[in-house]
Amino acid sequence: MPSNLPTAQTESNREARLAVLTSLAWLLLLPLGWFLTFSPLARQTLFRTVLGLAYLAVAFYKLLRWSAFFRKRDWITLAFALLSVYVLAFATILLWFWLSPPTNAGDWAVALGLFVMGGLFICAGLLLVLAPRIADKLGQLSGGQIGLRQSTGPAQGLRLGRRISGAFLLVVGGFVLSVAIGALKETWLR
């Protein structure tokens, strides 16, 4: 009689890795906190520098702490790698602002913050529109409910509501992204 123990263990490991990945999703919001507060803190360089270094220290600590957990060749590891590249790009922009700030640094910061916000809205909207079941599972993982194994899935009305809210996020994200691109063009041409 064959045992399902290795399959169950692999599935449990996959769900644990996915739970860790969803718990690291807050790292996506770090650039917003720094970019959108850049202009009010423009004259307080020490506080702005400490804030940026604290963001980077926390982000790299979390990524390095969990990096050994993502060594398999699957889409979860790819998502973790993309999150790491995102944080590295944020670190590069922080270094750019710290070592040789652009002439209109406040405008650049607001434009980049809007660009990140629009991109996050579009990604979340695409996830909700195209794959509401995955969004349901990620919601369960982030809420710690994955071990409860509900016998029924979410109602069809909930999925339709998620798709409608995803479409709304796509529209808002597209608008914010178009404003950000316009602001980046204006800032670039100055």
Side-chain angles (χ1 to χ4, degrees), residues 4 22 32 61 77 88 90 101 137 160 179:
N4 288 337
T22 56
L32 289 179
Y61 168 74
T77 303
L88 195 61
F90 174 53
K137 185 167 183 168
L160 182 63
V179 169

Side-chain angles (χ1 to χ4, degrees), residues 43-142:
R43 291 195 170 94
Q44 300 172 355
T45 55
L46 178 66
F47 183 70
R48 193 181 66 233
T49 303
V50 168
L51 185 65
L53 289 175
Y55 280 171
L56 289 179
V58 167
F60 282 117
Y61 168 74
K62 286 293 189 180
L63 289 175
L64 289 174
R65 179 175 177 220
W66 291 107
S67 64
F69 204 50
F70 295 96
R71 302 272 182 196
K72 296 184 179 180
R73 292 183 178 155
D74 59 353
W75 69 270
I76 298 173
T77 303
L78 178 66
F80 182 78
L82 289 174
L83 181 64
S84 300
V85 167
Y86 179 84
V87 170
L88 195 61
F90 174 53
T92 304
I93 292 172
L94 273 180
L95 284 174
W96 172 46
F97 271 74
W98 189 51
L99 296 177
S100 64
T103 54
N104 301 319
D107 294 339
W108 275 100
V110 169
L112 289 171
L114 288 175
F115 187 77
V116 168
M117 184 186 305
L120 289 176
F121 281 166
I122 287 175
C123 289
L126 280 173
L127 179 68
L128 287 171
V129 167
L130 298 177
R133 288 184 181 168
I134 293 175
D136 291 339
K137 185 167 183 168
L138 292 177
Q140 288 174 351
L141 282 171
S142 66

